[in-house]
Amino acid sequence: MPRLASVNELEAYRAHLSAIRDAKRPCVTVCAGSGCTAAGAAGVLSALGKGVEKAGLKDAVDVKSTGCHGFCERGPIMIVWPEGTFYNRVAPGDARAIVASLGNGHVPVEKLLYKDPASGRAVVREEEVPFYARQRRVLFGNNGRIDPKNIDDYLTVGGYAALGKVLSSMNWEQVIDQVKRSGLRGRGGAGFPTGAKWDFCRQNPAPRYLICNADEGDPGAFMDRSLLEGNPHSVLEGMIIGAFALGVEEGYVYVRAEYPLAVEHLRMAIEQAEQYGLLGDDILGSGMRFRVQVVKGAGAFVCGEETALMRSIEGKVGEPQPRPPYPVQRGLWNRPTVINNVKTWASVPVIMNRGAEWYASIGTAKSKGTMVFSLVGKINNTGLVEVPMGITLREMIYEIGGGIPGGRKLKAIQIGGPSGGCIPASLIDLTIDYEELTKAGSMMGSGGMVVMDDSTCMVDVARYFMEFLEDESCGQCFPCRKGTQRMREILARICAGHGKEEDLKLLEDLGWVMQQTSLCALGTTAANPVLTTLRYFRDEYLAHIRDQQCPAKVCKQLIYYEIDPTLCDGCGACVKVCAGEAILGEKKMLHTIDMAKCTRCGACMEVCQPKAVLVSTGAVPCPQ
Amino acid sequence: MEEEPVEEIESLLEQFDSRRANLIAILQEIQSKYFYLPHPALERVARKLKVPLTDVYHIATFYRCFSLTPRGRHQIQVCLGTACHVRGAPRVLDRILTILKLAEAGTTADREFTVLTVRCIGCCGLAPVVRVDANTHPHLTQAKVRGLLNKYRKPERAQEETAAETTGEVDATVGVG
């Protein structure tokens, strides 16, 4: 454990690591992100470890667990270096074949290679997989290469070089100037220019604080978590550079309680950075002091809002405060405070290393750099995607995402979590940047991108978000507390087929009032999902109200199930799963559903092999 | 309510100094130890940090992680994130509640399970997802729910459940103390 007392020592140690680490040495990196772990990565890892040992390759091959590679749909994922061979959907039983291939010149294991669905061709290298080919992984590039629990791995890929550069050759004004010129904007979703924020804060007297906002509460977004789990040092390095620029000695990372692994990796990273002299007193012999504490959230969506987050760190209830004063004036413990999102901090070392001009060359006129999206929902390739700003939705959905499963029709894309909006399929050629999304009635938000097909009911989705926001509203201000409740009630009524046409006007009015008068961003943006669905999918609302029909066949009160007598083979699978004991029929005979007992759970449809269960919308027909 | 061992709480409190900022962290420790916040423990926390008991309760009721009533032996977290929602999570939740005979999320009478709904545990790629204790179960369907719950039941109870399953009848009401 070296304690690095100067920038020269850091570089000397890095050179030493490169010398003792053979870049050509075979290494298998297995994704142990949350997604792959749920898919069984731990079993794969231990089987591989045992297999390598048994084959006597322990001194010739490294087996590593890394953070999230992003392609969760195909997990567990692994890469064999130095070739970069990409294996997907690996099971513990495949370890033998992989070890055999390692022992014999790394001939790829055919059955574990990714098959391009379009051409049917097997793809060998990660960068040739269509999902990765269109991406530009500036922040996530190292996730599949390094063990997040080992600081030496991070140093080997050039970690802390940006910090060395800053400490040895720049002053704080130059750092802020670089951040300004890079055009970096807040990646938490609002897109405030980061350099300007830092500048404002620096003008206020010390002591100042800085905070990393890792309270990723948006349902459907998990990139902050993956970055903290997979490359915690990149976030820390950004924070240390920020501390240098802002003259800060104390920083906090506020992490969601639901992310235990992120907390664990972050704490390890902090400990290692302190041992190496990259954090704490006299960083790299420069005299700079900076400490970082991890604070765990306790389960409140509103704590992602910066003023509420600061209250929570102070041990208080997470209730947002009116702004101004802004946090850069009076924040944590009433001192000037900079709060930035995880991805914003992780972008800082990249900008210092490659230069502001390089960073600004990526993206659009007003939105620079890359953005990380989590592509989820009704999409073939779910996972994390890092792309240059300015990419179109079409490229995202069809080229990277591989289109909609089952050949169904794209209906809408929900961007930006509960504060965002639903963008209809007709706007598929929209370019993605802060301004364009806002124009379309959505927002960048944290980058959650939920794809919906024609089997998703937009009224139900609006009701879902409203239910969420009603639950999570802190209740301080009336427009948000009551507005979310009333909106949810109206939407639930429409979903149940009891809506009235004047409800739509009422929803719009309520939305307007909430936008204009709520205390914090949770309230002012809460109506977005409703207003955008009203704007783009009004027909669907009207179908629920006028015709008592749910076109997507989702809303339980407006649908019914039937069994197609020509297809039913009497297997009885549906009888077993029926929640309401509503299915009648002897084995091997035709089954029928008693609609009076049916709870509309749809389980029969899930299990029916011959697809004999049909769902329709409208009034239940009288039995013949 | 059982009386909690006082010494344990005292030793837990000793790890912290008495700054107000530690309040949430202390409650998190108590919650993870007992799976809920016993009233006597909260009284001691208030005394130690010199904050009114009402403040402690304000925190305990504001944040979702805390529970004032004991939770079951197994915690079932049903993810209701957006991705899980559009892939059928509400129906999975309904099925879990039906089997456990709960009207809404909460704790079963035999204190075997507590059903909690969470908004996104970040495994959207595997939606719909349910987490039981520390294990994440991906790609759930209604048909898989009973088998999943049986994995966590006490063996004798699971057998009764499976028997009910094969004969196609709904759960026989069995009270397990």
Side-chain angles (χ1 to χ4, degrees):
Chain A
M1 273 295 165
R3 188 174 164 85
L4 308 167
S6 71
V7 176
N8 289 341
E9 275 186 36
L10 167 72
E11 291 313 322
Y13 181 66
R14 191 195 315 280
H16 159 74
L17 283 177
S18 309
I20 58 168
R21 290 183 168 208
D22 174 6
K24 294 265 183 296
R25 180 185 164 96
C27 173
V28 183
T29 53
V30 181
C31 174
S34 297
C36 283
T37 301
V44 174
L45 259 169
S46 76
L48 260 180
K50 282 191 194 122
V52 165
E53 200 160 346
K54 240 169 120 177
L57 294 169
K58 207 165 159 46
D59 299 326
V61 178
D62 291 328
V63 178
K64 258 185 210 171
S65 70
T66 69
C68 175
H69 300 204
F71 201 0
C72 312
E73 183 68 39
R74 311 295 304 178
I77 286 171
M78 66 166 61
I79 300 178
V80 180
W81 303 96
E83 296 86 354
T85 311
F86 174 81
Y87 292 148
N88 71 142
R89 300 239 165 125
V90 184
D94 298 323
R96 181 181 301 221
I98 295 167
V99 173
S101 124
L102 288 170
N104 119 40
H106 292 214
V107 179
V109 183
E110 190 67 31
K111 77 168 220 196
L112 299 175
L113 293 176
Y114 177 77
K115 311 278 185 301
D116 183 355
S119 63
R121 202 172 52 85
V123 179
V124 179
R125 296 168 55 88
E126 184 185 64
E127 57 266 30
E128 295 162 2
V129 175
F131 176 80
Y132 291 112
R134 294 293 323 242
Q135 295 189 41
R136 183 136 189 203
R137 292 156 64 88
V138 172
L139 300 180
F140 271 83
N142 285 328
N143 264 30
R145 293 178 159 261
I146 62 174
D147 176 355
K149 300 185 287 297
N150 183 347
I151 187 170
D152 286 353
D153 275 27
Y154 183 63
L155 290 171
T156 312
V157 296
Y160 290 108
L163 177 66
K165 182 176 170 183
V166 165
L167 291 178
S168 60
S169 66
M170 293 167 85
N171 60 27
W172 67 264
E173 289 102 333
Q174 286 168 318
V175 175
I176 293 184
D177 184 56
Q178 283 284 319
V179 175
K180 272 189 181 166
R181 282 192 295 128
S182 72
L184 176 65
R185 293 170 66 175
R187 289 291 186 263
F192 191 82
T194 307
K197 187 189 275 189
W198 290 17
D199 207 12
F200 288 137
C201 183
R202 184 79 206 208
Q203 291 166 19
N204 293 313
R208 295 177 280 266
Y209 296 102
L210 62 81
I211 298 172
C212 169
N213 183 347
D215 189 72
E216 193 178 34
D218 278 13
F222 54 102
M223 57 290 279
D224 293 357
R225 157 201 200 134
S226 297
L227 200 53
L228 282 176
E229 283 179 5
N231 195 350
H233 284 287
S234 65
V235 182
L236 276 184
E237 188 178 4
M239 289 176 73
I240 303 167
I241 293 169
F244 171 81
L246 293 159
V248 164
E249 295 191 347
E250 234 179 281
Y252 295 85
V253 185
Y254 188 91
V255 191
R256 255 183 104 194
E258 289 86 344
Y259 290 177
L261 194 63
V263 172
E264 188 190 326
H265 287 184
L266 188 63
R267 285 192 169 142
M268 279 172 118
I270 290 171
E271 206 173 299
Q272 292 172 355
E274 281 173 350
Q275 281 167 342
Y276 276 55
L278 299 158
L279 257 183
D281 293 338
D282 197 20
I283 292 173
L284 289 178
S286 67
M288 174 186 162
R289 286 183 57 199
F290 181 55
R291 293 201 176 281
V292 174
Q293 282 186 49
V294 181
V295 178
K296 275 198 318 193
F301 174 69
V302 73
C303 284
E305 201 278 343
E306 55 185 12
T307 55
L309 185 149
M310 292 185 300
R311 304 271 298 177
S312 189
I313 292 180
E314 291 168 3
K316 298 181 184 133
V317 166
E319 287 173 340
Q321 305 300 301
R323 298 179 310 176
Y326 289 96
V328 291
Q329 302 160 299
R330 282 215 298 277
L332 191 63
W333 290 299
N334 272 329
R335 305 301 314 165
T337 307
V338 159
I339 302 188
N340 282 127
N341 168 273
V342 175
K343 300 179 289 289
T344 315
W345 289 117
S347 304
V348 173
V350 177
I351 293 167
M352 296 303 139
N353 270 330
R354 315 277 302 257
E357 285 65 32
W358 176 85
Y359 192 85
S361 69
I362 307 172
T364 63
K366 285 189 174 166
S367 303
K368 302 295 186 192
T370 58
M371 178 68 193
V372 188
F373 291 98
S374 56
L375 198 52
V376 297
K378 303 285 181 69
I379 184 98
N380 277 318
N381 301 337
T382 40
L384 287 180
V385 179
E386 186 176 356
V387 289
M389 293 274 191
I391 194 170
T392 65
L393 278 174
R394 184 185 297 278
E395 289 170 285
M396 285 286 287
I397 305 292
Y398 290 102
E399 292 183 25
I400 296 171
I404 318 295
R408 297 191 81 115
K409 236 176 86 206
L410 171 72
K411 185 185 214 170
I413 303 143
Q414 210 283 341
I415 303 179
S419 319
C422 292
I423 294 182
S426 57
L427 294 180
I428 186 92
D429 289 310
L430 192 81
T431 53
I432 303 172
D433 69 11
Y434 291 100
E435 278 71 26
E436 289 293 319
L437 285 175
T438 309
K439 252 190 274 177
S442 181
M443 63 185 277
M444 184 69 82
S446 54
M449 204 178 261
V450 186
V451 181
M452 300 173 181
D453 65 10
D454 53 9
S455 67
T456 311
C457 170
M458 300 321 285
V459 188
D460 174 69
V461 166
R463 183 191 58 85
Y464 161 81
F465 278 118
M466 222 18 98
E467 206 171 74
F468 172 81
L469 289 161
E470 179 192 14
D471 226 13
E472 295 291 353
S473 169
C474 81
Q476 273 188 112
C477 78
F478 184 83
C480 173
R481 183 178 70 237
K482 272 303 183 208
T484 50
Q485 183 196 348
R486 284 285 173 260
M487 270 192 162
R488 195 257 314 150
E489 285 169 2
I490 296 167
L491 289 163
R493 215 172 53 223
I494 296 173
C495 284
H498 305 309
K500 302 190 284 287
E501 283 193 44
E502 49 269 33
D503 283 342
L504 304 188
K505 174 84 175 66
L506 184 56
L507 284 172
E508 280 164 347
D509 290 349
L510 277 171
W512 185 86
V513 173
M514 285 158 71
Q515 277 177 339
Q516 300 301 319
T517 60
S518 295
L519 169 69
C520 83
L522 188 149
T524 55
T525 58
N528 280 356
V530 181
L531 296 178
T532 49
T533 46
L534 276 171
R535 177 167 152 192
Y536 297 120
F537 300 98
R538 210 177 187 84
D539 293 348
E540 216 162 317
Y541 280 87
L542 290 172
H544 282 72
I545 295 169
R546 284 183 194 158
D547 315 328
Q548 320 283 295
Q549 289 192 351
C550 173
K553 299 171 190 162
V554 170
C555 296
K556 275 187 182 181
Q557 284 97 329
L558 303 178
I559 57 171
Y560 61 92
Y561 291 91
E562 292 170 293
I563 293 179
D564 183 339
T566 58
L567 293 176
C568 173
D569 58 3
C571 72
C574 53
V575 178
K576 261 191 205 165
V577 296
C578 181
E581 292 180 86
I583 302 184
L584 313 164
E586 296 296 315
K587 219 161 173 60
K588 300 274 190 284
M589 303 291 278
L590 174 66
H591 287 65
T592 53
I593 304 178
D594 176 356
M595 284 321 292
K597 281 187 176 174
C598 172
T599 61
R600 276 44 169 196
C601 75
C604 49
M605 208 167 158
E606 278 177 15
V607 297
C608 183
Q609 288 289 351
K611 300 276 167 253
V613 181
L614 311 172
V615 57
S616 311
T617 180
V620 180
C622 291
Q624 296 298 314
Chain B
M1 205 184 304
E2 305 136 45
E3 194 55 38
E4 301 302 331
V6 181
E7 308 78 59
E8 269 190 4
I9 290 180
E10 291 303 337
S11 69
L12 186 148
L13 286 176
E14 271 165 26
Q15 301 163 30
F16 295 90
D17 57 39
S18 37
R19 280 179 311 137
R20 158 80 205 230
N22 288 330
L23 176 52
I24 295 173
I26 293 173
L27 296 188
Q28 282 171 331
E29 282 293 314
I30 297 172
Q31 174 77 34
S32 66
K33 200 172 177 75
Y34 299 107
F35 301 114
Y36 80 111
L37 301 175
H39 176 78
L42 295 184
E43 280 182 326
R44 268 189 281 280
V45 172
R47 258 207 307 278
K48 178 183 167 95
L49 301 186
K50 300 191 178 56
V51 292
L53 188 58
T54 47
D55 275 20
V56 178
Y57 268 93
H58 192 181
I59 299 273
T61 50
F62 180 88
Y63 292 103
R64 194 179 285 274
C65 288
F66 302 128
S67 166
L68 294 174
T69 50
R71 284 182 178 167
R73 217 160 60 98
H74 297 294
Q75 309 215 8
I76 305 174
Q77 296 183 318
V78 184
C79 181
L80 295 182
T82 320
C84 289
H85 179 84
V86 301
R87 287 196 186 181
R91 293 176 170 202
V92 171
L93 172 65
D94 283 349
R95 178 60 54 134
I96 291 172
L97 296 176
T98 307
I99 294 176
L100 297 178
K101 293 196 266 312
L102 288 166
E104 53 184 12
T107 304
T108 54
D110 59 7
R111 287 239 202 130
E112 191 69 3
F113 294 106
T114 295
V115 180
L116 304 162
T117 57
V118 287
R119 305 289 188 165
C120 199
I121 48 180
C123 301
C124 313
L126 310 164
V129 179
V130 169
R131 189 189 277 164
V132 187
D133 304 334
N135 311 316
T136 310
H137 299 275
H139 299 302
L140 278 181
T141 59
Q142 294 187 72
K144 289 183 189 169
V145 167
R146 195 182 292 272
L148 172 71
L149 295 178
N150 280 346
K151 264 198 212 163
Y152 292 91
R153 280 192 200 277
K154 293 178 185 146
E156 70 273 15
R157 184 71 207 264
Q159 271 169 7
E160 288 161 15
E161 288 291 330
T162 325
E165 174 113 316
T166 43
T167 52
E169 53 180 80
V170 257
D171 317 13
T173 24
V174 187
V176 178

